[in-house]
Amino acid sequence: MTTMEQLRTAKAACPALLRATTEEKNRALLAMADALAAHAAEILDVNRRDVEAARGTISEVMLDRLALNPARIAGMVDGVRQVAALPDPVGRVLETVERPNGLRIEKVSVPMGVVAIVYESRPNVTSDAAALALKSGNVCVLRGGKEAYATANAITAALREGLRKAGLPEDCVSTIQDTGHESVHTLMEAVGLVDLLIPRGGPGLIEACVRGALVPCIQTGTGICHVYVDAAADQEMALNIIENAKTSRPSVCNAEEVLLVHRQIAAEFLPKVRVRLERDRLQAGKQPVELRCDRRAAAVLGGPVAGEKDFDTEFLDYILAVAVVDSVEAAIAHIAAHSTGHSDAIVTEDPAAAELFTTLVDSAAVYVNASTRFTDGGEFGLGCEMGISTQKLHARGPMGLRELTSYKYVVRGSGQIR
Amino acid sequence: MTTMEQLRTAKAACPALLRATTEEKNRALLAMADALAAHAAEILDVNRRDVEAARGTISEVMLDRLALNPARIAGMVDGVRQVAALPDPVGRVLETVERPNGLRIEKVSVPMGVVAIVYESRPNVTSDAAALALKSGNVCVLRGGKEAYATANAITAALREGLRKAGLPEDCVSTIQDTGHESVHTLMEAVGLVDLLIPRGGPGLIEACVRGALVPCIQTGTGICHVYVDAAADQEMALNIIENAKTSRPSVCNAEEVLLVHRQIAAEFLPKVRVRLERDRLQAGKQPVELRCDRRAAAVLGGPVAGEKDFDTEFLDYILAVAVVDSVEAAIAHIAAHSTGHSDAIVTEDPAAAELFTTLVDSAAVYVNASTRFTDGGEFGLGCEMGISTQKLHARGPMGLRELTSYKYVVRGSGQIR
């Protein structure tokens, strides 16, 4: 089938999901999980061949993301079961208005329709996204990377078997067969067939989708996250937050990339930062962090001066750009100029500085005295996550089930005219 | 100033609005209304010259939309004052989560930032949009039509005087000076400077913005609205709804364009439709409605068969496309294929048919036994309206103040790390 034919088939499955009850959707999710578990051996076999074929053509990191093992499959099965246990985001009555003319207006949450996910090689995205889409009443179209196609297809085949057994159309979940660039363009331009496009992957993929999409698209991911240490900070707390935000998992989007320090404490605090991130970590046998200092930070710590680009780079590595700022206002201005709007933190004991920071920093998550690493669906109590939106339209921050819904107004009357 | 310079100036005004209290914003709105009233004579004078210059270059309808008079200015002044009386949509705590680790997560409504409105010639859009944007904490950039530029600029000058007097930056409201196509493209592509683009005007303008925009854009307006008369309808009620939805104001987006009739009642009901919309209206000295019937409707009523395009046209005129369908499911399928997702109605006394229709019709407003003409911010009790969204992302249906906000997560801790 061409991609357009696949999309038309997907769209045709929407009414069945619109009519499905919560119980029917949950039964389908449990059947999908069972089918995934039952086909684990086949999926592992197909995945082994995908990994062999990809070896040498993609990086070791990507190979590791692609590779499945029994524990990873068990995790995927468990993930689908957990989605069944979450509350249904569809059919919530968000508002009810009874008008003087007798009209009863209900604002009700509804599925988006067809949700297309463009991702790279991680097989668990296939089952995670399919489960979240199904629970939110959406038909899901998955377009993964070429090197992961056979694996994604084997997973999807199991999920579709589960759907069939539970009496829902198997086309509620499908894998786009064309793994070339052409199919991504088709998805981006399929107005009327794709109701929401979510790219999950590197900045190149996300940028291309956001720029090229004619269908509604949610920008996820890129995080140039800042920690600002105020003059009134608890410095020991600040060191803990900085080390955690930078080093607990440097490859993720909520990791810290830039440290801003108030000039009043720079001479005292910056050397402590270096001890904590370099010497202490080396002594503990951990990977040290490379500091890239602006002119004023370098004047305290010595060494070369960072390039301008260092303050606009998502390193995703043991590298931290460091700058000295004159005030909380200056920190806010720096963040306005360089942040991707993901997660930014202030460390301060001064309530006025905290208030100014949370009011003016225009990011999805703004922290006072905590690590940026908490920006995550699970940590926010959503129970799941379809990605982290860095845009302000529709969904912002961790996207759970509710963010995969729209709403409509259902207006009931008895012949009212205007 | 170039459009980009104007946008940078607008962006720079955002922090002042983020920090403004509800009282400060309301005081500014009242000062804006006062200034508008105080400068009424000048605005009328400028408008008279705009109208003279435009005469012969734009249609009579457009000329009428452009022309101001003292009553229209008074209406604009009143509109701004009414917005001051509405509740503040910003700073609402939408959710609060206290996590086991002690983190306190608040989901708080915030302004979008810079909202750009591209519209045509109606001067009241200038003050309406500026007032709604200001109340929702947004800086507003207005790009009106060339023929209305001097009028819009005179209105904006008054509004800016009000802002200054109230102690807020006058750049919270501005008119784009370049009225050529170039400036619309700049607005559509100003990523990071325009946080939301709202086109208000004809389908050509809206389509161009939605297709071309790299910034977040909300699709408003076009309405191909259906009324489906079920076999189990109260036929007298159906006639009233059809006539009202079609003729009470044919030029607006929530007017009916297509009538669908169940085949069981077609032979009985269609002649009544013709009597009501043609003979009765002629006798009452009202403009009759031209019926464009599909093959099956024409078999009942006689006359030529409508073209395929008649079912995909927003007539905005005394014209109604009429088709006969086999069932409520067939009506739903017709609507899925032809509706713009604005407002669609069923007339029926059968609860099962009503339930199926409201569940499966994927439109912003779905009516049971009422006219589609109620899709309107005022009629829905929002107190105002920035347009009617026909998209499913972010805002759907009449957009009030809340739809001009986003949200962010403010996370307060005491040194939590992950």
Side-chain angles (χ1 to χ4, degrees):
Chain A
M1 277 205 281
T2 68
T3 304
M4 280 302 279
E5 286 164 355
Q6 287 199 269
L7 289 176
R8 278 188 217 105
T9 306
K11 192 77 186 176
C14 288
L17 273 188
L18 279 170
R19 298 179 74 171
T21 63
T22 303
E23 291 65 37
E24 286 165 340
K25 291 189 290 186
N26 288 345
R27 206 154 50 224
L29 285 164
L30 296 177
M32 287 157 72
D34 290 346
L36 203 54
H39 290 282
E42 287 156 63
I43 294 168
L44 283 170
D45 197 49
V46 169
N47 180 254
R48 210 169 299 122
R49 276 176 276 149
D50 262 349
V51 171
E52 283 317 308
R55 198 177 298 283
T57 69
I58 59 175
S59 70
E60 283 298 314
V61 173
M62 293 290 272
L63 264 190
D64 177 62
R65 287 187 183 173
L66 170 55
L68 283 176
N69 55 41
R72 284 189 175 179
I73 293 209
M76 288 162 59
V77 171
D78 194 43
V80 175
R81 291 206 175 110
Q82 279 175 24
V83 172
L86 292 172
D88 193 334
V90 167
R92 288 172 296 138
V93 178
L94 306 171
E95 259 166 86
T96 307
V97 180
E98 186 97 35
R99 298 292 299 163
N101 59 10
L103 279 184
R104 189 182 162 82
I105 305 178
E106 277 187 352
K107 184 176 175 180
V108 190
S109 66
V110 297
M112 296 294 299
V114 173
V115 175
I117 325 276
V118 180
Y119 61 110
E120 294 172 339
S121 61
R122 288 211 319 242
N124 68 303
V125 172
T126 310
S127 57
D128 285 359
L132 293 173
L134 191 91
K135 180 78 185 216
S136 53
N138 292 295
V139 169
C140 172
V141 168
L142 299 151
R143 199 297 199 168
K146 185 172 51 196
E147 62 285 351
Y149 177 71
T151 302
N153 205 36
I155 293 167
T156 308
L159 299 175
R160 288 165 66 99
E161 182 186 304
L163 283 162
R164 268 196 315 275
K165 284 187 175 163
L168 283 178
E170 59 181 9
D171 291 320
C172 291
V173 176
S174 59
T175 311
I176 294 290
Q177 291 162 8
D178 168 14
T179 57
H181 281 298
E182 185 64 32
S183 66
V184 177
H185 284 280
T186 304
L187 293 175
M188 293 194 302
E189 295 173 5
V191 175
L193 289 174
V194 171
D195 295 290
L196 181 60
L197 174 66
I198 306 177
R200 293 183 62 175
L205 170 68
I206 291 166
E207 171 84 3
C209 283
V210 171
R211 289 190 76 93
L214 300 181
V215 302
C217 176
I218 288 193
Q219 179 158 18
T220 62
T222 318
I224 299 183
C225 303
H226 297 72
V227 174
Y228 163 61
V229 182
D230 190 42
D234 174 332
Q235 294 188 16
E236 190 55 29
M237 183 196 288
L239 290 171
N240 293 338
I241 289 173
I242 292 164
E243 183 177 11
N244 178 265
K246 179 70 259 180
T247 68
S248 60
R249 206 168 160 204
S251 66
V252 293
C253 58
N254 58 21
E256 175 192 12
E257 305 292 7
V258 181
L259 169 64
L260 303 174
V261 176
H262 193 290
R263 73 175 155 75
Q264 274 179 33
I265 58 163
E268 175 195 359
F269 183 67
L270 284 174
K272 294 189 203 170
V273 171
R274 182 154 66 187
V275 167
R276 178 65 81 92
L277 295 184
E278 292 183 359
R279 198 197 62 189
D280 290 0
R281 290 182 61 84
L282 276 171
Q283 285 181 354
K286 294 175 184 160
Q287 167 114 29
V289 175
E290 175 190 341
L291 302 181
R292 299 203 180 163
C293 297
D294 80 334
R295 192 182 46 74
R296 295 166 79 185
V300 176
L301 293 179
V305 172
E308 258 305 306
K309 259 182 51 185
D310 286 321
F311 292 92
D312 294 298
T313 301
E314 192 185 22
F315 298 116
L316 300 175
D317 202 348
Y318 291 90
I319 302 170
L320 183 65
V322 184
V324 173
V325 293
D326 286 327
S327 60
V328 60
E329 288 85 357
I332 292 165
H334 181 104
I335 291 169
H338 300 279
S339 169
T340 53
H342 192 295
S343 302
D344 297 292
I346 183 172
V347 186
T348 189
E349 299 296 310
D350 173 5
E355 175 69 18
L356 196 64
F357 192 87
T358 57
T359 301
L360 293 185
V361 170
D362 188 21
S363 297
V366 185
Y367 289 85
V368 180
N369 294 335
S371 169
T372 55
R373 290 277 291 108
F374 287 105
T375 306
D376 171 274
E379 293 292 334
F380 273 24
L382 303 181
C384 63
E385 184 187 293
M386 183 67 114
I388 294 174
S389 163
T390 53
Q391 66 179 51
K392 283 188 269 187
L393 204 68
H394 187 74
R396 200 176 197 195
M399 293 176 64
L401 287 170
R402 286 188 184 185
E403 287 69 28
L404 296 175
T405 66
S406 178
Y407 57 82
K408 72 177 166 196
Y409 291 95
V410 176
V411 186
R412 293 183 178 89
S414 47
Q416 281 84 348
I417 59 174
R418 186 178 170 194
Chain B
M1 279 204 281
T2 66
T3 304
M4 281 303 278
E5 286 163 355
Q6 288 198 269
L7 288 177
R8 278 187 216 104
T9 306
K11 192 79 186 174
C14 287
L17 273 190
L18 280 171
R19 298 179 74 170
T21 63
T22 303
E23 291 65 36
E24 287 165 340
K25 291 188 291 186
N26 288 344
R27 206 153 50 224
L29 285 165
L30 296 177
M32 287 157 72
D34 290 347
L36 203 54
H39 290 282
E42 288 156 62
I43 294 168
L44 283 171
D45 198 48
V46 169
N47 180 254
R48 211 170 298 120
R49 276 176 277 148
D50 263 349
V51 171
E52 283 316 310
R55 199 177 298 280
T57 70
I58 59 176
S59 69
E60 282 299 314
V61 173
M62 294 290 273
L63 264 189
D64 177 63
R65 287 186 183 174
L66 169 56
L68 283 175
N69 56 41
R72 284 189 175 179
I73 294 210
M76 289 162 59
V77 170
D78 194 43
V80 176
R81 292 207 175 109
Q82 280 174 23
V83 172
L86 293 173
D88 192 335
V90 167
R92 287 172 297 138
V93 178
L94 306 172
E95 261 167 84
T96 307
V97 180
E98 187 96 36
R99 297 292 299 162
N101 60 10
L103 279 184
R104 190 183 161 80
I105 305 177
E106 277 186 352
K107 183 175 175 179
V108 191
S109 66
V110 298
M112 294 296 298
V114 173
V115 175
I117 324 277
V118 179
Y119 60 110
E120 295 173 337
S121 60
R122 287 212 319 241
N124 68 304
V125 173
T126 309
S127 58
D128 285 358
L132 293 173
L134 192 91
K135 181 77 185 215
S136 53
N138 292 296
V139 170
C140 172
V141 168
L142 298 152
R143 200 291 198 174
K146 185 173 54 197
E147 63 285 349
Y149 178 72
T151 303
N153 204 36
I155 294 167
T156 309
L159 299 176
R160 288 165 65 99
E161 182 187 303
L163 283 162
R164 271 196 313 276
K165 283 188 175 161
L168 283 178
E170 60 182 9
D171 291 320
C172 291
V173 177
S174 58
T175 310
I176 293 290
Q177 292 162 7
D178 168 13
T179 56
H181 282 297
E182 185 64 33
S183 65
V184 177
H185 284 280
T186 303
L187 293 174
M188 293 195 302
E189 295 173 5
V191 176
L193 289 173
V194 171
D195 295 290
L196 181 60
L197 175 66
I198 305 177
R200 292 184 61 175
L205 170 68
I206 291 165
E207 170 84 4
C209 283
V210 170
R211 289 190 76 94
L214 301 180
V215 303
C217 177
I218 287 193
Q219 180 157 15
T220 63
T222 317
I224 299 183
C225 303
H226 297 72
V227 174
Y228 163 63
V229 182
D230 191 41
D234 173 331
Q235 294 187 17
E236 190 55 29
M237 182 197 288
L239 290 171
N240 293 338
I241 288 173
I242 292 163
E243 183 177 11
N244 178 264
K246 178 70 263 177
T247 68
S248 60
R249 208 169 158 202
S251 66
V252 293
C253 58
N254 58 21
E256 175 193 12
E257 306 291 9
V258 182
L259 168 64
L260 304 173
V261 176
H262 193 291
R263 72 175 157 78
Q264 274 179 31
I265 58 163
E268 173 195 1
F269 183 67
L270 283 174
K272 295 189 202 170
V273 171
R274 183 156 65 186
V275 167
R276 177 67 79 92
L277 294 184
E278 292 183 0
R279 198 197 63 189
D280 289 1
R281 291 183 60 84
L282 277 170
Q283 285 182 354
K286 294 173 184 162
Q287 167 115 28
V289 176
E290 176 191 341
L291 303 181
R292 299 204 179 162
C293 297
D294 80 336
R295 193 182 44 75
R296 296 168 79 184
V300 176
L301 292 177
V305 172
E308 258 306 305
K309 260 182 53 185
D310 286 320
F311 292 92
D312 294 297
T313 301
E314 193 184 22
F315 298 114
L316 301 174
D317 203 346
Y318 291 89
I319 301 170
L320 182 65
V322 183
V324 173
V325 294
D326 286 327
S327 59
V328 60
E329 288 85 357
I332 292 166
H334 181 105
I335 292 170
H338 300 278
S339 170
T340 54
H342 192 297
S343 302
D344 297 294
I346 182 173
V347 185
T348 188
E349 299 296 310
D350 172 6
E355 174 69 19
L356 195 65
F357 192 87
T358 58
T359 302
L360 292 186
V361 169
D362 188 22
S363 298
V366 185
Y367 290 84
V368 180
N369 294 336
S371 169
T372 55
R373 289 275 293 110
F374 287 106
T375 305
D376 170 276
E379 292 293 333
F380 272 24
L382 303 180
C384 63
E385 183 187 293
M386 184 66 116
I388 294 173
S389 164
T390 53
Q391 66 179 51
K392 284 188 268 187
L393 204 69
H394 186 75
R396 200 175 197 195
M399 293 177 64
L401 288 169
R402 287 188 183 184
E403 286 71 28
L404 296 174
T405 65
S406 177
Y407 57 83
K408 72 178 166 194
Y409 290 95
V410 176
V411 186
R412 293 185 177 87
S414 49
Q416 280 83 347
I417 59 174
R418 186 179 171 191

